[in-house]
Amino acid sequence: MKVGIVGAGLGGLLAGAYLSSEGFEVEIFEKLPFAGGRFTSMNYRGYEISTGALHMIPHGRRGPLGRMLKELGCDVEIVDSKPEGEILWNGEREMLTRKSFSWFDVLRLNIEFFMNKLGRKRTLEEFARGLSEKSYLYVRSFLGWSFSIFPEQMMFEKIVPIFRRTEVYGGPGVPVGGCKAVTESLVEIIESSSGRVHLRKEVKAIKSGEKAKFILEKEKKEYDLVISDVGHRITSELLGEELGNHPSESRGVKYTIAIDEPFIGHTGVLFVLGKNIAGMNEVTNADENLGRKHMLQVHQPLRNGSREEIIRGLRDIKEILRGYSFEVLAVQSYRGDWPVNRVMAGMDMGNRTRHDNIFVVGDGAKGEDIEVDGIALGVENVLEALL
Ligand SMILES: Cc1cc2nc3c(=O)[nH]c(=O)nc-3n(C[C@H](O)[C@H](O)[C@H](O)COP(=O)(O)OP(=O)(O)OC[C@H]3O[C@@H](n4cnc5c(N)ncnc54)[C@H](O)[C@@H]3O)c2cc1C
């Protein structure tokens, strides 16, 4: 069976790796000169600057992506974060444990879970407003870091399955070699099972039918099955179809910083409370080859992506790193067709289209989890439908 895949991002490559190892004839078309989409990196002055992700896998080795990479036999080692997190608030740092929050806030959280089961519908902002200042600011920082959203943009109920999964799988991990190691190993698997990844080849249109067709610049290709890794909105545009309402994307900005001495000093996340930036990590503590010296990556959710928002983020960084010798290597903002997530967390649109032989994967069609672990579950849903 012939499978055509639009886009060599993590979703397209993961689906392609499974299908080609199952004997499907897989061809992936990528319009850029490199594979990996927002989950790879470029070396700049000795630092692996990522095209998107913060070189982290939300649930590390034990999560859905870690499990699937293992099943595929990918040669990727994932270093689970230890500690998972730390908090920076009012100039003080504190390791993140259950004791970081008052018993009253923990009780409010449990009551909210219970009320949610009874059908209460509130945004995370409405819930968090009732907490102490520290817990409220932590909720903001956690959502800004993990989803690139603000608490008023997400319903409490959407966080419940994610919270439960974090309890089961634990926190993040860093792949040795960064996100590029993951996507490169998937390309290897595809190519070693006779699949092809064509770079600099843009799919200009998709024609639906029993045999779906890809219209490329100079040729047409025919497939039994199509998988699109570009989200529902762009997939509909390629099909020339109206999609109707599409949830908005999540936007953010990432600052990559070279720093002489470690600032965080561990492999977990430093959540920054009460600032424009949401948090930072220092992945060179997990893999020293990711940077010539140490590499800090700072993330900030964006409301509109204005210059002023970014200047406020840079001011936070300057204030927090006062006394350290550092240099901002890159400021990358993400929105529109190259966002943090193609649809905001909790609003994913499923993997099916109105055509039985056309599926969507990637971060607009995740399963019930976050970021690349959600992408892995979305791919798994498609595989279940096909295999
Ligand atoms: C700042 C930032 C930080 C993040 N941090 C993390 C993190 O630490 N951990 C985590 O798990 N996730 C993180 N994410 C999210 C993660 O990077 C993305 O969810 C994931 O990489 C998206 O993969 P994808 O397969 O959905 O899409 P993409 O990576 O966007 O891949 C789609 C590909 O399709 C190609 N394409 C588009 N149109 C066409 C066409 N017509 N023809 C051919 N090719 C086409 C594109 O060029 C692209 O390469 C972060 C994202 C950002 C932006």
Side-chain angles (χ1 to χ4, degrees):
M1 197 183 231
K2 282 181 140 188
V3 186
I5 300 184
V6 190
L10 180 76
L13 293 173
L14 192 58
Y18 266 94
L19 293 174
S20 52
S21 13
E22 288 289 333
F24 288 69
E25 279 177 59
V26 172
E27 272 194 300
I28 305 188
F29 295 89
E30 167 55 56
K31 68 178 177 183
L32 296 177
F34 59 86
R38 286 167 286 151
F39 210 73
T40 185
S41 61
M42 318 258 165
N43 195 286
Y44 174 66
R45 291 172 46 198
Y47 294 85
E48 284 301 322
I49 312 253
S50 85
T51 49
L54 295 146
H55 289 302
M56 274 194 151
I57 298 179
H59 301 305
R61 258 182 314 141
R62 294 178 300 273
L65 180 62
R67 170 175 50 78
M68 289 174 82
L69 292 174
K70 203 168 162 199
E71 265 167 27
L72 281 166
C74 283
D75 183 20
V76 180
E77 185 194 338
I78 300 169
V79 179
D80 285 335
S81 302
K82 214 169 165 199
E84 289 177 4
E86 198 186 352
I87 291 172
L88 171 64
W89 186 40
N90 286 338
E92 301 281 322
R93 280 171 66 166
E94 172 192 337
M95 285 304 166
L96 186 64
T97 66
R98 279 183 189 257
K99 288 191 187 137
S100 304
F101 307 104
S102 69
W103 69 266
F104 180 70
D105 287 341
V106 175
L107 180 67
R108 293 295 296 251
L109 177 66
N110 284 316
I111 293 174
E112 195 68 22
F113 279 130
F114 180 69
M115 296 305 287
N116 181 258
K117 266 195 190 158
L118 296 183
R120 174 143 97 186
K121 303 254 177 259
R122 296 212 289 184
T123 63
L124 279 156
E125 173 73 18
E126 286 164 331
F127 155 69
R129 275 279 167 214
L131 303 175
S132 65
E133 187 189 2
K134 182 183 176 190
S135 300
Y136 171 70
L137 292 176
Y138 174 69
V139 171
R140 285 189 76 85
S141 161
F142 174 80
L143 294 175
W145 170 267
S146 306
F147 306 106
S148 220
I149 61 167
F150 298 91
E152 67 275 14
Q153 293 174 318
M154 191 175 188
M155 297 304 288
F156 183 90
E157 70 200 49
K158 297 291 182 192
I159 201 105
V160 176
I162 294 162
F163 190 86
R164 299 279 180 239
R165 281 184 173 273
T166 307
E167 282 188 326
V168 175
Y169 296 129
V174 176
V176 173
C179 14
K180 190 181 192 170
V182 173
T183 43
E184 277 186 350
S185 78
L186 293 171
V187 171
E188 258 172 48
I189 291 196
I190 294 165
E191 293 183 339
S192 65
S193 336
S194 315
R196 296 284 310 274
V197 180
H198 304 279
L199 302 178
R200 291 195 173 89
K201 288 241 175 179
E202 180 171 357
V203 176
K204 304 275 186 192
I206 306 172
K207 301 279 171 221
S208 60
E210 199 180 323
K211 297 265 180 197
K213 288 194 187 74
F214 279 2
I215 313 296
L216 302 155
E217 199 169 358
K218 290 187 183 141
E219 55 191 321
K220 283 185 192 161
K221 295 266 191 171
E222 223 175 52
Y223 298 99
D224 303 295
L225 179 69
V226 164
I227 294 180
S228 170
D229 185 28
V230 297
H232 284 275
R233 185 177 55 76
I234 302 177
T235 306
S236 300
E237 284 167 16
L238 291 173
L239 282 160
E241 292 172 352
E242 286 287 318
L243 181 64
N245 281 343
H246 186 273
S248 39
E249 85 275 9
S250 46
R251 302 168 196 158
V253 55
K254 183 182 65 181
Y255 309 91
T256 306
I257 293 164
I259 185 160
D260 288 358
E261 298 298 319
F263 174 70
I264 297 183
H266 57 71
T267 52
V269 179
L270 179 67
F271 293 99
V272 178
L273 274 51
K275 300 279 180 203
N276 300 282
I277 59 168
M280 47 177 89
N281 65 7
E282 198 170 57
V283 287
T284 34
N285 296 320
D287 176 3
E288 59 184 21
N289 294 322
L290 290 172
R292 199 161 48 81
K293 294 182 184 169
H294 277 275
M295 182 168 80
L296 269 179
Q297 296 172 109
V298 180
H299 187 65
Q300 175 186 354
L302 289 178
R303 287 194 187 276
N304 52 33
S306 67
R307 213 175 115 80
E308 288 68 36
E309 278 185 281
I310 294 174
I311 289 171
R312 285 199 291 272
L314 283 167
R315 271 199 212 116
D316 287 347
I317 293 170
K318 220 169 142 189
E319 185 195 317
I320 291 169
L321 297 183
R322 191 173 294 138
Y324 282 80
S325 167
F326 71 94
E327 184 188 353
V328 178
L329 292 174
V331 177
Q332 294 157 280
S333 76
Y334 296 88
R335 56 200 145 133
D337 288 349
W338 201 258
V340 176
N341 279 305
R342 285 191 203 281
V343 303
M344 242 174 230
M347 297 187 189
D348 287 276
M349 298 176 66
N351 304 98
R352 290 191 176 270
T353 64
R354 61 181 80 157
H355 309 283
D356 286 345
N357 58 351
I358 304 181
F359 293 84
V360 177
V361 294
D363 66 1
K366 298 190 286 301
E368 270 195 346
D369 210 325
I370 64 174
E371 306 285 6
V372 294
D373 279 319
I375 293 179
L377 291 182
V379 169
E380 205 162 54
N381 291 340
V382 173
L383 297 172
E384 264 168 33
L386 296 177
L387 298 177

